[in-house]
Amino acid sequence: MTNIHEPLLTMLSEYIGLHKKILIGFSGGLDSTVLLHLLVRLRDQYQQVSRDQIALRAIHIHHGLNSKADFWVEHCRQICADWQVDFLTEKVRLDTRQNGIEAAARDARYQSFQRELQQDEILITAQHLDDQAETFLLALKRGSGPAGLSSMPACMSFAGTILLRPLLGVSRAELEVYAQTQELLWIEDDSNQDDRYDRNFLRLHIMPLLNQRWLHFPQAVSRSASLCGEQEQLLDELLSESLNSLVTPEGAISISPLENCSEAKRNALLRRWLSQHGVKMPSREHIQRIWLEVALARKDAEPRFRLGQYDIRRYQQQLWLVPQYPPLADIIIEWNVEQALTLPDGLGMLIRSEENGTKVRKPDSNEHVTVRFGVHQGNISIVGRQHSRHSKKLWQELKVAPWLRERTPLLYYDEKLIAALGVFVTKEGQSLVDDRGFSVQWKK
């Protein structure tokens, strides 16, 4: 193991290839310290022989979970200053409502990485061979299929660029030898000794026994993960044409053709559809519930299934992946129509216009103008139609999806609905010839 230094550098160079802008996730622990040191060496070598310079940045995520976290930030800052690496840090807040602290911390890290990545910059992280084996066993514990058991790929698409994990074939023991030989300093996170966390339990109690019994156990697990990855890649290729035929230009997936598929093929297609949207892979139970409770719900229902930060909804015999929007139904905003109005939750603004937008009559001097959200209850008579229709039927006929109905600004004069902006104008809001009226432009 003492002769691994140059092969490590060569391996890293091959991974990076022609990429010259690099962001490394730098915790300050052994793994990322070794990786950063190797990148610095590679950068310095390039500077000596090439005009092309490697732009290297390190990002440290402050999770706020350990009393020493502030000290770790300063340690990482000093290492980067010594090695002339641009350093940035971000403090995150963890959302543990879904999957616990470990998953929340990981999600927060990668969200920060995504925010900080610059154009043409790649992300490199320091997971190693032992991490890969632990990830495989954790997926096995969860009852994952081939996608989960394929564990961590060495190279994958991420946030419009790529994520590299060049140390997946290197053991922690090899990294320790390198660090000691190079006299590196790194952080030892005392929370890694807390076996309440699943990964720590494996690392402290299970992996030592497996390694003692089978010397090359991590390498064998890594091969199994790679084989699972190959099977998933093959399925991706075989199902690509079928999936493309089912997915609409808006990103929804048609339900009717799926009804003719076997359960196995249907589940595989649904997983790949969700993967296209960057959604974390659901369990088999969740896939089955999406199909039974949403796709096959009764025709007059508006079903939804919560999946992470999204809802799976059915509309026009298609499944749609919709962000979980905050409720707006109780919001009432007074509006002086002479001034622009900023709408809540990033919905844009309303502007009075003489030409573009939804044409309505002017309010009377004693009419109070408000903008509201939610669906107006009861029958509605709109311009261009002879008879009134119940609001639910009207929205359906106008082909507005349920989740968009709830986010469409409704213009009221007193308690009279005047218009659903961009969709319809009621007869009470119609602009008459002698009134001339005005237009409301919704700038999204």
Side-chain angles (χ1 to χ4, degrees):
M1 288 189 292
T2 56
N3 295 321
I4 67 170
H5 300 178
E6 293 310 315
L8 272 179
L9 207 57
T10 301
M11 175 196 66
L12 185 59
S13 178
E14 291 173 351
Y15 266 102
I16 292 173
L18 299 177
H19 296 286
K20 295 297 184 288
K21 293 179 65 176
I22 299 170
L23 177 68
I24 173 177
F26 183 42
S27 68
L30 169 69
D31 321 330
S32 61
T33 300
V34 169
L35 181 56
L36 181 58
H37 188 264
L38 287 166
L39 286 168
V40 168
R41 289 179 60 192
L42 194 63
R43 177 200 64 187
D44 294 346
Q45 285 185 6
Y46 269 76
Q47 288 176 345
Q48 294 173 7
V49 300
S50 173
R51 292 183 180 180
D52 293 332
Q53 304 292 311
I54 290 180
L56 182 58
R57 301 194 304 147
I59 179 171
H60 176 84
I61 307 302
H62 187 315
H63 297 97
L65 296 174
N66 194 295
S67 59
K68 300 176 184 177
D70 292 335
F71 165 77
W72 295 343
V73 171
E74 294 311 311
H75 168 88
C76 293
R77 192 190 308 278
Q78 187 60 53
I79 291 289
C80 288
D82 292 343
W83 294 348
Q84 297 179 328
V85 175
D86 289 343
F87 175 77
L88 59 151
T89 184
E90 184 170 333
K91 192 167 187 177
V92 296
R93 297 180 65 181
L94 304 186
D95 182 358
T96 60
R97 292 173 296 178
Q98 296 288 334
N99 297 307
I101 290 178
E102 288 179 287
R106 182 180 61 251
D107 291 344
R109 279 197 301 277
Y110 282 93
Q111 288 170 15
S112 294
F113 296 157
Q114 182 170 349
R115 284 193 296 269
E116 293 295 342
L117 276 165
Q118 298 176 354
Q119 187 174 3
D120 299 325
E121 188 174 46
I122 65 171
L123 174 65
I124 297 186
T125 56
Q127 291 92 349
H128 51 72
L129 183 64
D130 301 80
D131 292 327
Q132 183 76 307
E134 293 161 8
T135 301
F136 184 94
L137 292 177
L138 288 171
L140 198 64
K141 183 266 297 183
R142 292 192 299 269
S144 300
L149 294 174
S150 63
S151 304
M152 297 178 287
C155 178
M156 62 178 286
S157 298
F158 178 78
T161 180
I162 62 171
L163 164 60
L164 296 180
R165 298 183 177 99
L167 301 181
L168 283 182
V170 184
S171 69
R172 178 179 172 86
E174 291 173 311
L175 297 179
E176 286 180 347
V177 169
Y178 179 94
Q180 291 165 359
T181 303
Q182 298 292 327
E183 298 181 347
L184 303 181
L185 299 175
W186 65 87
I187 293 166
E188 291 287 359
D189 185 349
D190 52 7
S191 68
N192 288 336
Q193 302 303 310
D194 188 347
D195 61 9
R196 291 176 300 173
Y197 300 118
D198 289 344
R199 186 174 289 273
N200 288 348
F201 178 79
L202 284 175
R203 184 175 299 156
L204 296 172
H205 304 299
I206 305 303
M207 291 302 295
L209 289 174
L210 294 173
N211 289 329
Q212 181 181 347
R213 176 75 178 187
W214 298 291
L215 184 60
H216 300 293
F217 182 78
Q219 288 86 346
V221 169
S222 182
R223 284 196 300 273
S224 292
S226 295
L227 290 171
C228 288
E230 287 182 11
Q231 294 300 309
E232 281 299 292
Q233 185 177 352
L234 177 60
L235 275 177
D236 287 342
E237 294 175 7
L238 293 175
L239 293 175
S240 175
E241 187 175 343
S242 295
L243 182 61
N244 290 338
S245 70
L246 296 177
V247 176
T248 70
E250 297 78 21
I253 186 168
S254 299
I255 293 173
S256 297
L258 290 172
E259 292 181 290
N260 298 322
C261 295
S262 68
E263 182 180 2
K265 184 176 181 180
R266 182 174 63 241
N267 291 349
L269 287 166
L270 287 173
R271 287 193 183 95
R272 279 154 181 79
W273 170 64
L274 292 170
S275 179
Q276 283 185 345
H277 291 278
V279 177
K280 186 176 179 181
M281 199 54 58
S283 67
R284 183 180 183 184
E285 178 191 358
H286 284 168
I287 288 289
Q288 291 173 335
R289 290 184 61 190
I290 289 169
W291 181 249
L292 295 174
E293 298 175 17
V294 182
L296 300 185
R298 69 179 192 274
K299 291 185 177 181
D300 61 342
E302 293 183 359
R304 70 176 73 186
F305 182 85
R306 178 156 293 186
L307 188 65
Q309 302 300 313
Y310 294 91
D311 285 332
I312 309 292
R313 303 188 68 164
R314 186 186 65 188
Y315 176 63
Q316 293 187 333
Q317 274 303 100
Q318 298 165 350
L319 293 176
W320 294 72
L321 188 71
V322 181
Q324 288 176 13
Y325 296 119
L328 302 177
D330 295 330
I331 294 178
I332 300 177
I333 309 171
E334 295 186 8
W335 184 27
N336 176 357
V337 297
E338 301 300 328
Q339 299 176 356
L341 177 68
T342 300
L343 299 174
D345 197 38
L347 283 173
M349 62 174 54
L350 303 182
I351 300 174
R352 174 172 176 162
S353 170
E354 296 305 321
E355 298 179 0
N356 300 321
T358 303
K359 188 71 175 292
V360 296
R361 70 174 175 85
K362 293 179 181 178
D364 296 335
S365 58
N366 61 342
E367 286 184 315
H368 191 55
V369 180
T370 58
V371 174
R372 310 179 188 186
F373 294 89
V375 178
H376 182 89
Q377 299 300 318
N379 288 352
I380 301 175
S381 296
I382 68 171
V383 174
R385 296 202 178 191
Q386 184 175 1
H387 301 291
S388 66
R389 294 288 282 165
H390 190 275
S391 59
K392 183 176 180 179
K393 293 289 186 182
L394 182 61
W395 286 105
Q396 289 173 345
E397 292 171 9
L398 295 173
K399 293 182 168 49
V400 180
W403 57 92
L404 297 180
R405 301 169 199 171
E406 300 159 6
R407 296 175 63 79
T408 299
L410 304 178
L411 181 65
Y412 279 79
Y413 295 169
D414 291 335
E415 295 303 313
K416 295 189 292 287
L417 175 62
I418 300 301
L421 297 176
V423 183
F424 62 76
V425 176
T426 66
K427 291 183 176 178
E428 290 88 346
Q430 184 174 13
S431 175
L432 303 176
V433 176
D434 57 350
D435 170 70
R436 297 191 63 181
F438 67 99
S439 294
V440 180
Q441 188 176 3
W442 181 11
K443 287 195 170 183
K444 302 180 186 179

